[in-house]
Amino acid sequence: MTQSHRISGGQVDRTKTVRFTFDGIPYQGHPGDTLASALLANGVRLMGRSFKYHRPRGPISSGSEEPNALVELRTGGRQEPNTRATVVELFEGLDARSQNRWPSLRFDAMGINDRFSTFFAAGFYYKTFMWPKSFWEKIYEPIIRRAAGLGSVTRQEDPDEYDKGFLHCDLLVIGAGPAGLMAALTAGRAGKRVILADEDFRLGGRLNAETHAVGQASGADWAVAAVAELAAMPNVRLMTRTTVMGAFDHGIYGAVERVSDHLPVPAKGKPRQVLWRIYAGKAILAGGATERPIAFENNDRPGVMLAGALRAYANRWGVKAGERVAVFTNNDDGLRTATDLMARGVDVVAVIDSREGGELIPGVRHLRGAEVIDSSGKLGLKTITVRQSNGKTEDIRVDALGVSGGWNPNVNVHSHHRSRPVYDAGIAAFVPGEDGPPGLSVTGAAAGVLSTHGALRTGRDAAMAALGLTGAAPDLPEAEDAPVRVSPLWFVHHGKGRAWIDQQNDVTVKDVKLAHKENFTSVEHLKRYTTLGMATDQGKTGNVLGLAVMAELTGRSIPETGTTIYRPPYTPVAMGTLAGRSRGKEFKPFRLTPSHHWAKEQGAVFVEVGNWLRTQWVPKAGETEWRQSVDREVLATRKSVGICDVTTLGKIDIQGTDAGEFLNRVYANTFSTLAVGKCRYGLMLREDGIVFDDGTTARMGENEYVMTTTTANAVTVFRHLEFCRQVLWPEMDVQLISTTEAWAQFSVAGPNARKLLEKVVDQDISDASFPYMGAANITVCGGLRARLFRISFSGELAYEIAVPTRYGDALLREMLARGAEFDPIVYGTEALGVMRIEKGHVAGGELNGQSTALNMGLGKMVSKKKDSIGMVLSQREGMVQEDGYRLVGVKPVDPKAALTAGSHFLEKGAAAVAANDGGWLTSKVYSPHLGCDIALGYLKGGDKKIGQRMRIVNLLAGLDTEVEIISPHMFDPEGERLRG
Amino acid sequence: MADALKAMTAFGLREPKQVKIGALSIKELTDVALASVAARKGRMADLSRAAAAAGLPLPGPSTHAPGDPYSSFWVAPEMWLVEAPFASHELIADMLRAALGDGASVTEQTDAWVGFDLTADDLTALMQRLCNVDFAMAPDGHATRTVMEHLGVYLIKRGKGAARVYGPRSSAESLLHAVEAAAVALA
Amino acid sequence: MIIHHPILGPRDAQEFVYLGDASLMDRPDGMTAGIEEFHEYLYQRGNPAGEHRELWYHEQGDRSWLVVTRNTVTHEITKVELARDVARAKGRSK
């Protein structure tokens, strides 16, 4: 294919050819092209269909502000919708497709919407699809979604990786146009650490799109030299393809670096994008300005573009957007498009200048006081209708029109902390206001200084000021310093047709008028009612236009009308970029127990408990169903001995001369009386009297304790203890450190637990020398330091034994080998759960953050003889009710009946309504000893209902079963076994 | 110590993990014994005296002080993590307790952590991908707690191209994976 | 946000856990104060648009509890103190 619209010049590498396809048709471009510039070079200007009306659309801009030329890139998992063709860097084999059209871009069946545009005016959802209500979800919404929309997302997983990172600098410069380059040069030469970030793949900003000279060189060449100087400085980091997307608090900026978007696929192991968190001492916003259009009827046809974009395509990319071009402007800058294009031999047939008087451009038909009032051309611009100053209208045949309504400074990042831009009538645009992010200054066009000289000067001065540089300021190269001459014109008053403001969301002047008519006159209401500025481009070209139209309608001034709030991100950021590496199996880190490798060898099934992977059960050969494994583990433990890895419980080393008193304060029950070599169950409350956590704490020495917490609360309990130690009782002599991971800890439970342990423990652990609730530092296997605690969660004769983690695996294997005569088994969390429920011990389902000690049947543990966290408020009226919830055991009257956790208690004959609710089941298991399902639950007045029959009802599960309320201590209620 | 029980690394192996990715070398530490030392309240002067006598450095905030046999780094107000060779100091907590007396609370920490020594010509770019520490500007001997891929770790800078990282032992695989992934992305 | 830790210098707020109003350090003595007083202490807080003293915990740092004086409107942080020092200055002891 020939590049019919390629002209001379520009910054593309004509020695190389890049092949790509658009809607399956092959084209060629050059390195340095964007998808938009390459398509335009090939004479393709129809690139998409609009959101609501399916109007044919082409690019209006040459940058990230583009509302129209949205395309879908790539296929499979990498398919990416709504990509702006104007910023897609061309690469070999690029596969781009138009979107929101069927069956083809040129003939789109949904184009019918355009004929019925009156039905699709602002607010049409709210008005049209109100009735009947039931139609919304099933009928209206699916139809609307199919008809109105942009690209489609892939259903496949994104195969690429996304990284995150952290950067530090003295000065972050956002934007590498003349202002940004000069700021970076000033700071870089002073030896400061500088980051210069620009969203483009070529630094230089508008210098690349203009023909201005800077010093002795062209602007583009000056930029190349400046970049080369900066690149040679070790203290400067140049970041191309990097969008600073937001200003956050205290000098933190977010930036997205598109590392591999310009490649067919990322190199192996390389991220597609990196989300940087930049810590900047100071920052300079040099983000330039965005040209805005003038709204007139049918101003959305492919070929109608921003004047600056037409110029950029010619100057930077060597592309003419049309064969016969006209310019429609209200300011001097628009005239540059005419002169630049003529200089490149493009046929400029007319300049339509809305202003009266002034100089005329030689060599072109320059109409003063004229306006473009309409256009025609089905799939692209063919003619414009011009109304001359004398009122005469005339059709002019053109295939490209450059429109310039003036330039809007890109104040976005400066306004991310809600700073309101202020209106500068001199340039007819909003400029940065007061109260921007501290440490951020704004320069160049972003500050409303629109000349090249002004950009260079303010860039340099801002860097000097921001960094407090006192030396001689760098000399500035000579550059144009033309004044801004603009005469505001927002929309052309003519006729009844549609004049587009927000092209991406299909918002027209009519819609703004409708919003006004219906009294949605505040800009924030205007935005929500019409969806102005709510598309993926966030209204970069349309917002100011929209509010200016509203200002005119209401008779308020533009400053009075004001802007909407600017929020990050500056341009869209992919969800994958925000997620970084935290997805799939890497969503969060794993924690592995000391017995993990042994368990894996055995084919154990694991369960995620927080970040931990715990053994859930360990299937034996022939077991086909999980219950077989769990029942066997329970029975074998209660019959002989079972071992369970309990390393995951939090362990906190507490030392100091006040450690005992400290425990008295943080536990509801008394600890100061605990003897050395003993452990005790402790109940920890929150200050509001609700149970926070529980566990055993052992006194290992005069001033040394080891506290255990539940697995889930290890971190929060530690935080709470530090709060108590540092903030509540700062003079206490207490030191804390977590030792959760330092020790591999195993529960050894069952009638033969002691006999098994005697095979590995070096000391005498007979009942006499090591009674129930004993705790000691011991040695195992001939001298290895270890800890032994005689505590039981299972209700069996049980111990917990701990060795340094590196020996945990070996200790487990040694216990299994040396104790082989007792047929020891290893049990997982399921069997653990069965045994604790059989014993009525509370855990996750009962420690639910809503329950008191009294609810759990542990009310007597809360000592009132001492101050402790939660003691006072646990005595509140509502928490000590006689008929409040009490923990009970439950078993079905019919042993074959199944129970479900979460089911509710109801009296026999009571209707299943909330008013009759008696409480709920918190945990349920099958007990192989009782031969039926058993459960724990909170039942109102439950302690007085032991022995009664009630119903368990679960309407979702279709369960309605008669049960017997029993003591929660369902197995060995006298506790004879654990003292054995 | 106990011949019957063979130690296992944090990766379930007998030998320390070693990985090379481009210029980066990652070496798991299995020969370092660790203990925390905290001053009892109001006993800092006693602890300082005893530590000086025992040859135990107690550096200021954000600092690692090397020594023989004891090195240490600051982790919290009046609290340090002490390193010593594992072969000679497996019982580091007992040894420190004996040396420091009742002015200090000492807790064995050896197996609470997995340690890695990272070496390359320059680790700055790797650290930029892993944590928010300004590695380039940090002085040698800088020791700080930070976060790498959701994991709380201690990072000790030993030079432009040398650093030690201690992370939670149970997450050794996740931590190594994070370092490897960042290294591959940069290689 | 950046919190200037009195010992460690500027640290990213991501390393901290937020608790709430610094008045949470004024816990009454449970042996002398009753339910009303504890209720006031635990539940009654100001919610100022402006300067606010609040407790932050440097969980991914040195585990210090800090009292941070922050403007809730602008997020400007004007003062950071070790909570232990503040508590001692208030006469909190054992």
Side-chain angles (χ1 to χ4, degrees):
Chain A
M1 294 287 289
T2 57
Q3 297 180 40
S4 58
H5 284 59
R6 190 72 77 175
I7 56 177
S8 65
Q11 297 144 19
V12 292
D13 179 2
R14 287 161 197 268
T15 65
K16 296 195 183 85
T17 299
V18 177
R19 286 162 300 180
F20 69 101
T21 61
F22 179 62
D23 280 342
I25 301 168
Y27 298 99
Q28 292 180 357
H30 299 297
D33 263 327
T34 62
L35 176 60
S37 73
L39 284 172
L40 288 172
N42 285 279
V44 177
R45 52 183 181 166
L46 172 60
M47 296 188 196
R49 289 276 178 168
S50 75
F51 179 63
K52 258 180 3 190
Y53 304 126
H54 291 249
R55 300 263 295 186
R57 292 283 168 81
I60 73 162
S61 76
S62 61
S64 65
E65 69 270 36
E66 177 59 34
N68 276 344
L70 302 185
V71 296
E72 207 161 84
L73 298 186
R74 301 182 165 95
T75 53
R78 291 193 173 88
Q79 180 178 314
E80 187 185 358
N82 304 340
T83 312
R84 290 149 294 168
T86 50
V87 295
V88 174
E89 200 173 337
L90 205 62
F91 58 80
E92 181 68 27
L94 172 64
D95 171 14
R97 295 171 306 280
S98 58
Q99 48 191 38
N100 199 29
R101 83 292 190 266
W102 184 86
S104 75
L105 185 55
R106 291 182 69 82
F107 176 77
D108 175 7
M110 294 306 290
I112 194 83
N113 282 9
D114 197 34
R115 301 284 180 83
F116 296 100
S117 63
T118 47
F119 294 109
F120 293 99
F124 80 98
Y125 282 3
Y126 319 127
K127 293 170 181 166
T128 314
F129 301 107
M130 286 295 288
W131 184 90
K133 201 176 161 192
S134 60
F135 271 38
W136 175 253
E137 204 173 304
K138 292 211 166 69
I139 297 173
Y140 295 144
E141 198 189 5
I143 291 172
I144 293 166
R145 283 205 183 280
R146 215 173 308 135
L150 296 169
S152 54
V153 288
T154 176
R155 298 277 170 172
Q156 296 174 39
E157 191 182 338
D158 186 341
D160 294 333
E161 290 175 38
Y162 297 82
D163 236 332
K164 291 192 185 181
F166 308 83
L167 296 173
H168 303 257
C169 61
D170 298 319
L171 182 68
L172 167 67
V173 182
I174 305 162
L181 285 170
M182 201 60 223
L185 283 170
T186 304
R189 286 171 187 167
K192 298 294 182 181
R193 271 209 296 180
V194 179
I195 293 173
L196 175 60
D198 194 288
E199 61 182 357
D200 207 332
F201 54 90
R202 184 182 177 97
L203 302 181
R206 214 44 220 179
L207 291 176
N208 292 321
E210 303 290 356
T211 50
H212 306 310
V214 176
Q216 303 305 307
S218 74
D221 287 346
W222 181 84
V224 168
V227 168
E229 183 184 341
L230 290 166
M233 295 181 187
N235 53 321
V236 175
R237 183 184 184 117
L238 295 176
M239 300 182 75
T240 54
R241 305 182 177 99
T242 302
T243 303
V244 174
M245 54 82 166
F248 302 93
D249 284 306
H250 305 158
I252 298 176
Y253 293 82
V256 178
E257 183 179 10
R258 290 171 293 278
V259 178
S260 310
D261 278 25
H262 62 293
L263 304 171
V265 294
K268 197 170 160 43
K270 304 288 176 200
R272 170 92 177 263
Q273 299 182 355
V274 181
L275 178 64
W276 293 103
R277 190 174 174 86
I278 301 178
Y279 301 90
K282 291 282 165 42
I284 288 176
L285 175 60
T290 299
E291 200 171 15
R292 60 172 183 256
I294 298 165
F296 59 88
E297 273 178 41
N298 297 306
N299 60 333
D300 65 329
R301 296 192 195 283
V304 180
M305 299 170 71
L306 291 163
L310 270 190
R311 193 156 88 225
Y313 283 117
N315 292 334
R316 175 170 171 180
W317 287 284
V319 171
K320 58 178 175 182
E323 300 289 352
R324 290 169 53 82
V325 180
V327 172
F328 177 28
T329 184
N330 66 351
N331 67 89
D332 280 3
D333 192 74
L335 303 179
R336 282 179 179 158
T337 298
T339 51
D340 280 10
L341 292 182
M342 286 191 289
R344 290 185 174 273
V346 179
D347 186 9
V348 179
V349 296
V351 173
I352 299 97
D353 193 331
S354 65
R355 300 168 299 173
E356 303 281 355
E359 284 172 46
L360 291 175
I361 311 177
V364 67
R365 191 175 169 217
H366 190 160
L367 304 169
R368 309 304 304 246
E371 291 171 330
V372 178
I373 57 170
D374 202 354
S375 78
S376 66
K378 191 162 172 276
L379 293 175
L381 184 64
K382 286 194 173 132
T383 53
I384 53 173
T385 307
V386 175
R387 181 173 60 203
Q388 296 185 35
S389 56
N390 60 9
K392 249 179 64 184
T393 63
E394 173 189 355
D395 286 352
I396 302 176
R397 196 168 56 80
V398 295
D399 55 0
L401 174 70
V403 182
S404 181
W407 292 77
N408 292 327
N410 292 329
V411 301
N412 305 52
V413 173
H414 186 262
S415 294
H416 281 173
H417 293 190
R418 299 178 80 94
S419 162
R420 297 283 185 167
V422 295
Y423 189 70
D424 178 349
I427 62 169
F430 283 92
V431 296
E434 301 291 309
D435 297 327
L440 176 71
S441 46
V442 192
T443 66
V449 181
L450 295 172
S451 78
T452 310
H453 170 79
L456 294 165
R457 176 175 49 77
T458 56
R460 176 194 66 184
D461 294 352
M464 299 283 294
L467 298 169
L469 301 178
T470 51
D475 289 335
L476 297 178
E478 277 187 38
E480 62 83 27
D481 196 15
V484 174
R485 283 196 292 245
V486 59
S487 176
L489 173 61
W490 311 104
F491 72 102
V492 174
H493 295 252
H494 170 78
K496 291 188 174 163
R498 284 167 295 164
W500 269 262
I501 291 172
D502 177 337
Q503 300 208 18
Q504 193 168 128
N505 261 356
D506 269 338
V507 180
T508 65
V509 173
K510 269 186 169 176
D511 294 316
V512 179
K513 286 180 175 168
L514 185 64
H516 172 247
K517 206 166 113 189
E518 304 197 345
N519 208 25
F520 291 102
T521 53
S522 123
V523 279
E524 298 289 359
H525 286 155
L526 168 67
K527 172 176 172 175
R528 272 103 191 146
Y529 191 66
T530 63
T531 73
L532 170 70
M534 289 171 73
T536 64
D537 65 334
Q538 292 284 290
K540 286 189 176 58
T541 55
N543 276 358
V544 173
L545 212 55
L547 70 90
V549 173
M550 181 58 84
E552 194 171 310
L553 294 169
T554 56
R556 289 176 303 189
S557 68
I558 288 174
E560 277 173 324
T561 304
T563 58
T564 52
I565 299 283
Y566 293 83
R567 294 187 181 88
Y570 178 64
T571 49
V573 177
M575 293 304 290
T577 312
L578 298 173
R581 295 193 178 275
S582 303
R583 62 178 216 193
K585 271 170 66 182
E586 292 169 43
F587 181 66
K588 56 187 182 181
F590 282 112
R591 301 176 79 180
L592 304 183
T593 63
S595 63
H596 184 83
H597 299 282
W598 176 89
K600 218 170 162 183
E601 285 168 24
Q602 307 298 314
V605 173
F606 296 101
V607 59
E608 287 182 37
V609 183
N611 290 359
W612 289 102
L613 280 186
R614 293 189 74 178
T615 297
Q616 197 169 11
W617 64 86
V618 189
K620 286 258 191 278
E623 290 173 348
T624 54
E625 202 245 334
W626 69 276
R627 265 273 311 284
Q628 294 174 315
S629 306
V630 174
D631 289 357
R632 172 183 50 74
E633 288 171 13
V634 171
L635 292 169
T637 301
R638 295 226 190 273
K639 179 168 170 242
S640 179
V641 60
I643 303 173
C644 182
D645 191 330
V646 293
T647 304
T648 62
L649 293 176
K651 304 178 204 68
I652 301 171
D653 204 70
I654 303 175
Q655 297 189 38
T657 52
D658 293 320
E661 177 57 21
F662 182 72
L663 290 168
N664 254 353
R665 304 268 183 93
V666 298
Y667 277 131
N669 50 322
T670 304
F671 267 81
S672 52
T673 55
L674 184 67
V676 173
K678 284 288 189 181
C679 43
R680 182 171 290 173
Y681 175 77
L683 191 67
M684 200 178 281
L685 306 185
R686 306 191 311 219
E687 194 67 272
D688 63 2
I690 298 293
V691 174
F692 177 18
D693 199 60
D694 70 346
T696 54
T697 288
R699 187 170 189 182
M700 306 304 285
E702 181 60 26
N703 297 315
E704 285 185 50
Y705 295 80
V706 175
M707 173 188 281
T708 62
T709 72
T710 60
T711 300
N713 286 333
V715 170
T716 45
V717 167
F718 194 91
R719 186 187 303 156
H720 172 67
L721 297 185
E722 284 285 10
F723 178 76
C724 294
R725 179 180 87 98
Q726 296 178 35
V727 185
L728 296 185
W729 306 300
E731 298 295 346
M732 272 196 171
D733 178 26
V734 178
Q735 292 80 43
L736 305 171
I737 190 157
S738 165
T739 60
T740 303
E741 315 230 343
W743 297 90
Q745 193 148 320
F746 296 97
S747 166
V748 181
N752 287 320
R754 184 186 299 120
K755 289 182 191 154
L756 182 142
L757 281 174
E758 280 169 347
K759 305 268 183 189
V760 293
V761 175
D762 299 336
Q763 289 77 15
D764 173 18
I765 54 167
S766 64
D767 190 48
S769 33
F770 198 71
Y772 181 57
M773 295 310 257
N777 289 308
I778 56 158
T779 60
V780 295
C781 299
L784 177 69
R785 64 198 178 286
R787 291 167 166 178
L788 190 65
F789 310 93
R790 189 167 160 194
I791 49 179
S792 177
F793 198 46
S794 57
E796 294 299 319
L797 167 66
Y799 301 80
E800 289 190 10
I801 185 167
V803 291
T805 306
R806 69 180 63 196
Y807 302 108
D809 175 87
L811 176 67
L812 174 61
R813 290 175 201 266
E814 204 64 21
M815 288 193 291
L816 292 172
R818 293 195 191 185
E821 63 188 273
F822 307 114
D823 295 324
I825 57 99
V826 171
Y827 63 93
T829 53
E830 288 295 331
L832 181 84
V834 172
M835 289 189 275
R836 73 99 184 164
I837 289 169
E838 287 179 337
K839 285 297 295 179
H841 288 151
V842 295
E846 294 77 39
L847 297 170
N848 61 353
Q850 299 174 300
S851 304
T852 63
L854 190 60
N855 295 148
M856 293 173 195
L858 303 173
K860 289 197 181 111
M861 285 187 74
V862 182
S863 165
K864 286 154 206 135
K865 295 193 186 118
K866 64 179 179 80
D867 186 13
S868 69
I869 300 283
M871 183 269 282
V872 171
L873 291 181
S874 72
Q875 307 306 316
R876 282 182 287 175
E877 193 185 337
M879 297 166 83
V880 291
Q881 283 170 330
E882 278 289 301
D883 58 349
Y885 290 114
R886 296 292 184 276
L887 189 71
V888 295
V890 174
K891 68 174 187 184
V893 171
D894 172 4
K896 288 197 281 293
L899 301 179
T900 306
S903 305
H904 284 253
F905 289 106
L906 285 170
E907 295 290 353
K908 279 192 269 185
V913 293
N916 294 331
D917 182 29
W920 71 98
L921 297 189
T922 50
S923 312
K924 167 260 161 176
V925 290
Y926 176 79
S927 166
H929 292 99
L930 300 171
C932 64
D933 272 7
I934 57 168
L936 293 173
Y938 285 125
L939 174 62
K940 281 180 193 163
D943 50 340
K944 297 181 204 75
K945 292 186 178 163
I946 305 293
Q948 293 184 16
R949 290 193 173 184
M950 293 187 76
R951 282 153 63 219
I952 281 296
V953 176
N954 187 328
L955 296 179
L956 288 174
L959 177 77
D960 192 336
T961 301
E962 191 176 7
V963 297
E964 187 183 342
I965 309 302
I966 56 178
S967 158
H969 311 292
M970 292 175 263
F971 181 78
D972 184 29
E974 303 307 320
E976 285 159 9
R977 298 172 73 95
L978 56 84
R979 291 172 198 276
Chain B
M1 186 76 349
D3 292 340
L5 297 186
K6 278 210 180 95
M8 202 177 235
T9 71
F11 294 89
L13 304 170
R14 298 287 176 217
E15 297 301 320
K17 197 101 174 169
Q18 294 203 48
V19 180
K20 268 193 88 68
I21 299 167
L24 175 73
S25 140
I26 308 169
K27 188 175 170 294
E28 186 194 5
L29 299 167
T30 51
D31 56 354
V32 179
L34 294 171
S36 64
V37 170
R40 290 272 167 95
K41 187 173 171 307
R43 302 289 301 278
M44 193 56 224
D46 296 335
L47 171 58
S48 295
R49 255 191 311 279
L56 167 65
L58 297 177
S62 307
T63 311
H64 177 272
D68 182 17
Y70 295 119
S71 304
S72 81
F73 57 98
W74 188 96
V75 294
E78 302 197 340
M79 189 178 213
W80 294 264
L81 211 51
V82 179
E83 302 166 297
F86 184 83
S88 54
H89 288 69
E90 180 169 356
L91 299 180
I92 185 170
D94 292 342
M95 297 163 103
L96 286 171
R97 232 173 262 129
L100 302 175
D102 67 356
S105 290
V106 178
T107 302
E108 179 172 331
Q109 285 280 293
T110 305
D111 285 351
W113 304 94
V114 60
F116 297 107
D117 273 340
L118 310 181
T119 47
D121 299 334
D122 188 343
L123 288 169
T124 304
L126 182 75
M127 289 304 163
Q128 286 171 343
R129 294 287 174 92
L130 286 173
C131 63
N132 68 18
V133 174
D134 191 356
F135 192 79
M137 298 304 275
D140 291 355
H142 182 72
T144 186
R145 174 116 180 179
T146 186
V147 179
M148 293 182 177
E149 279 295 327
H150 311 286
L151 294 167
V153 304
Y154 288 108
L155 170 67
I156 302 162
K157 179 175 178 179
R158 311 170 107 199
K160 189 171 88 165
R164 178 168 287 187
V165 176
Y166 287 111
R169 181 182 171 106
S170 64
S171 294
E173 289 188 12
S174 294
L175 179 57
L176 177 64
H177 177 76
V179 177
E180 286 176 335
V184 168
L186 290 164
Chain C
M1 293 198 295
I2 303 282
I3 293 173
H4 287 261
H5 190 297
I7 300 171
L8 299 173
R11 306 287 298 217
D12 195 315
Q14 285 185 331
E15 297 173 358
F16 294 79
V17 173
Y18 178 79
L19 180 65
D21 196 310
S23 66
L24 279 169
M25 69 168 53
D26 305 325
R27 183 181 184 274
D29 182 344
M31 297 313 286
T32 54
I35 287 173
E36 284 300 317
E37 206 176 322
F38 263 88
H39 185 271
E40 283 290 309
Y41 156 71
L42 192 64
Y43 295 112
Q44 299 300 324
R45 316 252 168 82
N47 183 21
E51 199 167 90
H52 188 228
R53 276 159 61 84
E54 52 203 20
L55 286 157
W56 292 72
Y57 175 57
H58 199 194
E59 187 147 86
Q60 297 298 348
D62 74 341
R63 303 180 345 227
S64 283
W65 277 94
L66 304 179
V67 175
V68 174
T69 306
R70 180 179 66 101
N71 186 309
T72 56
V73 177
T74 64
H75 289 186
E76 186 190 8
I77 292 172
T78 47
K79 197 173 187 185
V80 185
E81 303 153 277
L82 290 175
R84 168 175 267 163
D85 293 347
V86 177
R88 281 176 175 157
K90 285 184 157 201
R92 295 202 69 86
S93 174
K94 285 192 176 185

